[in-house]
Amino acid sequence: MPKYYPLFMDVEAQPVLVVGGGSIALRKVQTLMDHGAKVHIVSPQLIPELKALINDNSCLWSEKAYSTDDIQEAILVFSCTEKEEVNAKVSSDAKAHHRPVNVVDDPEKCSFIVPSIMEQGDLKIAVSTGGSSPIVARQVRAELQAQYGQEMAEYLTLLKTWRNKAKFSLSPEKRSIFWSRATDGEVRKLIKNQQLTEAEGVVEKCFLSLLD
């Protein structure tokens, strides 16, 4: 198995090709659209749930069988069909055009794999077993979800509001002190206990104590 390089990619407004029109393609398209990609689906048929996503801006559908020309400018390529010959063709074409390609449930045809992702607001943790066992990756993700709850989303939102204030008002040394205090566990604990006002107060107190 390859040693995959972990990477988070910005796909906002970027063209992505999805070949296939079934339930697996649906999950891929939904995730891509959630992250702002411009999705091009190529498939003779679509399941109703996938067809409902088609629009003029972020999700286009070519009602036909896949051909090499469909690669076009796609920065990522997904093949989600049940036809071995189609998946092999998509994989070969994408690699020939130097485009990252993922063929669902067939790591040997992939140049990248999609990890199991745990999200809480701005927190994203990607879990991968390198294609060895997707089930284990999902189990680890479930364990992380139990460890990092909804408070993480609110916690990171709060810290984000102080980034520019700290950047422009504190020296590098004092910024380091500020972030160490703001992230020492007290603020997150208060938010977890639904004491958001108190948590905001702790961060503000840390900041004010370091102003010249």
Side-chain angles (χ1 to χ4, degrees):
M1 297 293 291
K3 291 185 177 180
Y4 292 100
Y5 181 78
L7 177 72
F8 283 90
M9 177 180 287
D10 179 10
V11 296
E12 181 77 31
Q14 296 298 314
V16 178
L17 174 65
V18 176
V19 181
S23 58
I24 295 176
L26 172 64
R27 293 197 296 271
K28 298 297 181 186
V29 170
Q30 287 174 326
T31 301
L32 288 164
M33 292 180 68
D34 285 345
H35 289 82
K38 296 186 69 173
V39 182
H40 176 204
I41 305 171
V42 174
S43 178
Q45 296 178 324
L46 300 183
I47 61 174
E49 296 89 343
L50 192 51
K51 188 177 292 187
L53 299 177
I54 302 302
N55 60 62
D56 293 332
N57 298 314
S58 59
C59 190
L60 304 176
W61 175 30
S62 293
E63 189 177 354
K64 68 181 191 67
Y66 167 79
S67 66
T68 303
D69 292 340
D70 294 322
I71 296 286
Q72 297 184 18
E73 299 301 318
I75 64 165
L76 293 175
V77 177
F78 293 86
S79 190
C80 310
T81 80
E82 297 180 353
K83 296 181 178 180
E84 173 69 19
E85 65 276 13
V86 174
N87 290 337
K89 176 64 173 170
V90 174
S91 176
S92 175
D93 288 345
K95 291 175 181 178
H97 286 79
H98 306 291
R99 309 297 167 77
V101 60
N102 176 268
V103 178
V104 176
D105 292 332
D106 196 343
E108 292 183 358
K109 292 184 177 64
C110 298
S111 61
F112 78 96
I113 56 176
V114 180
S116 184
I117 300 175
M118 189 283 288
E119 294 188 60
Q120 287 291 1
D122 287 339
L123 176 66
K124 287 186 175 68
I125 301 177
V127 180
S128 172
T129 59
S132 299
S133 178
I135 291 177
V136 171
R138 289 194 292 270
Q139 290 171 342
V140 173
R141 180 190 65 187
E143 293 173 6
L144 289 168
Q145 286 176 324
Q147 182 175 354
Y148 298 106
Q150 174 60 32
E151 82 280 356
M152 288 301 299
E154 297 176 358
Y155 179 45
L156 292 174
T157 297
L158 173 58
L159 295 180
K160 185 190 296 186
T161 64
W162 287 90
R163 286 186 60 83
N164 284 337
K165 295 178 184 178
K167 180 178 181 179
F168 295 112
S169 301
L170 302 177
S171 67
E173 294 79 12
K174 288 186 176 181
R175 282 203 302 272
S176 179
I177 295 172
F178 169 72
W179 289 118
S180 293
R181 292 180 181 175
T183 60
D184 65 3
E186 181 182 4
V187 173
R188 181 184 167 193
K189 184 177 180 181
L190 287 168
I191 294 175
K192 191 171 185 177
N193 292 332
Q194 299 184 342
Q195 296 175 277
L196 182 58
T197 301
E198 290 82 351
E200 293 171 343
V202 169
V203 177
E204 183 176 15
K205 183 178 179 180
C206 291
F207 178 78
L208 293 176
S209 69
L210 293 168
L211 286 177
D212 294 329

